[in-house]
Amino acid sequence: MPKDFDSTLSDALDLAAHSAQTAGPNAARIRGRQRTMRKRIALSTASLALIAVGATAAFKVASPGHDGAPMMTKPTPSATSAVSVAPTLTPSDSATSAPRTAASGSTSSSPSTNPSTAGSSVTGTPTAADPLKLVSAAWLTSSQMPFDSTFNWTSDPAPSGVPGWKTLSKTVSYFPSNDSRQSLTTCGDPTPFLARTIGGQVTGYAPTTPPETATANNQAVQYVFFFTNAETAQSAFTYLLGQYNSTCFSTFKGAQFTKTAASSTEATWLMRKGTSGSPDLPDYSREYFMLRGSTITYVSVLSYTQTLPTTYDDVTQLNTIAGHACAYGGSCQQQ
């Protein structure tokens, strides 16, 4: 009988200890990735997540939401939005840096000459859209990211130690569909969008001119979101772009939103902070969305300090993205 009681007591203590730690990493990652989550796609969140284990033991109990992770509460004022539409898209290669081509505000490449540094060519032949399997041809080089002539981007190393994440290459990571974060795209709650996916892959880019500092916060990122089939991806694409609406615009009063390119499978949104007092907004963001097969590719550039031009060759940039997005299936050309 004493043995049974001791055993029961030990089991209860183990269970209590486990539950006290559950919310720590999720809560820490959320708090630590407000503005900077999109910044280097959590490339510095690994340490924050580890430091906060146990420090937030009661967080889940105190916070409602998905998987115990509280969502960012945004202010509810009212904004101005300008919406104009233009065309869109060409391709390129892998996640490692390639020789840079000095371009003035635009990047171009040709779908027929788009080899991956890993030896794969971008042909549009569908590859199994598995978020745990890396196709290196799907990733833009740092020189193919928007505004490379301004920032001279360099690929960030994949982080380690982020709960639920897996390292797929030196620069690309897998993350699960229940990954907790406060922000992803400028408009929309990331939780219901990610819940539609079966996981995703991500890589980040840091500027070298000027180098990233506390006073020069400029960031670029590429995501690929995976879905069970093309129909689910199409539905999620429609949902995601539908978040760019009057509700979002009025949330960030004074910010200016402009759709600079759009089609049934591609879109580009420009956001300028303007007179908005929201601390969650960068001064400037340019976001590219592309549906291909059973995946959605998302590329964005944020600047908290630079005055970047409102006009940019989005058609060429989308063509470049298309040449990589098709590595997981779908067309390598603008649609």
Side-chain angles (χ1 to χ4, degrees):
M1 180 64 98
K3 181 178 180 182
D4 291 339
F5 175 79
D6 291 343
S7 219
T8 302
L9 179 59
S10 176
D11 290 345
L13 290 173
D14 288 344
L15 181 59
H18 175 72
S19 61
Q21 294 178 12
T22 302
N26 282 340
R29 286 164 52 222
I30 289 171
R31 293 197 310 271
R33 292 197 227 148
Q34 192 162 47
R35 252 178 17 189
T36 58
M37 180 60 209
R38 287 191 317 195
K39 169 182 163 281
R40 298 168 51 139
I41 32 99
L43 297 178
S44 51
T45 59
S47 57
L48 292 175
L50 294 174
I51 293 171
V53 171
T56 56
F59 194 79
K60 184 172 182 180
V61 177
S63 303
H66 303 277
D67 298 322
M71 297 310 302
M72 174 174 64
T73 304
K74 295 178 179 175
T76 343
S78 140
T80 57
S81 94
V83 178
S84 57
V85 180
T88 12
L89 285 175
T90 306
S92 212
D93 49 347
S94 89
T96 44
S97 237
R100 298 181 179 278
T101 54
S104 181
S106 70
T107 306
S108 90
S109 59
S110 163
S112 57
T113 56
N114 216 19
S116 157
T117 54
S120 309
S121 61
V122 181
T123 63
T125 302
T127 305
D130 181 347
L132 287 167
K133 292 181 180 178
L134 175 69
V135 177
S136 59
W139 300 91
L140 277 71
T141 62
S142 52
S143 62
Q144 292 172 328
M145 293 298 288
F147 297 108
D148 177 65
S149 60
T150 300
F151 295 115
N152 193 34
W153 302 109
T154 183
S155 296
D156 276 323
S160 59
V162 180
W165 287 38
K166 296 182 186 300
T167 300
L168 302 180
S169 75
K170 290 180 179 179
T171 57
V172 180
S173 300
Y174 156 86
F175 59 89
S177 60
N178 63 350
D179 195 45
S180 298
R181 59 186 73 206
Q182 283 191 307
S183 63
L184 183 60
T185 55
T186 301
C187 290
D189 182 342
T191 302
F193 171 71
L194 290 176
R196 294 167 176 258
T197 74
I198 55 172
Q201 297 174 0
V202 64
T203 191
Y205 306 83
T208 59
T209 55
E212 189 171 8
T213 66
T215 57
N217 198 349
N218 307 296
Q219 309 135 22
V221 65
Q222 178 183 353
Y223 284 89
V224 179
F225 304 106
F226 293 76
F227 301 86
T228 53
N229 52 50
E231 292 73 22
T232 306
Q234 175 69 72
S235 175
F237 185 77
T238 301
Y239 169 83
L240 184 59
L241 292 184
Q243 304 308 299
Y244 287 73
N245 56 34
S246 58
T247 300
C248 173
F249 305 153
S250 64
T251 297
F252 301 112
K253 182 179 181 180
Q256 300 168 336
F257 290 81
T258 307
K259 184 187 289 184
T260 62
S263 75
S264 60
T265 58
E266 296 133 15
T268 303
W269 275 97
L270 164 67
M271 189 285 303
R272 289 171 292 165
K273 187 172 184 178
T275 59
S276 172
S278 172
D280 298 321
L281 283 183
D283 292 335
Y284 181 104
S285 74
R286 207 171 197 99
E287 302 172 283
Y288 297 86
F289 304 83
M290 184 166 294
L291 172 67
R292 287 294 183 273
S294 59
T295 66
I296 294 174
T297 295
Y298 170 69
V299 173
S300 74
V301 170
L302 309 178
S303 177
Y304 290 87
T305 58
Q306 291 283 348
T307 304
L308 297 173
T310 57
T311 57
Y312 193 74
D313 190 355
D314 290 326
V315 173
T316 297
Q317 184 64 54
L318 283 167
N319 265 310
T320 301
I321 295 170
H324 291 280
C326 64
Y328 285 117
S331 172
C332 295
Q333 300 292 332
Q334 177 179 359
Q335 296 178 331

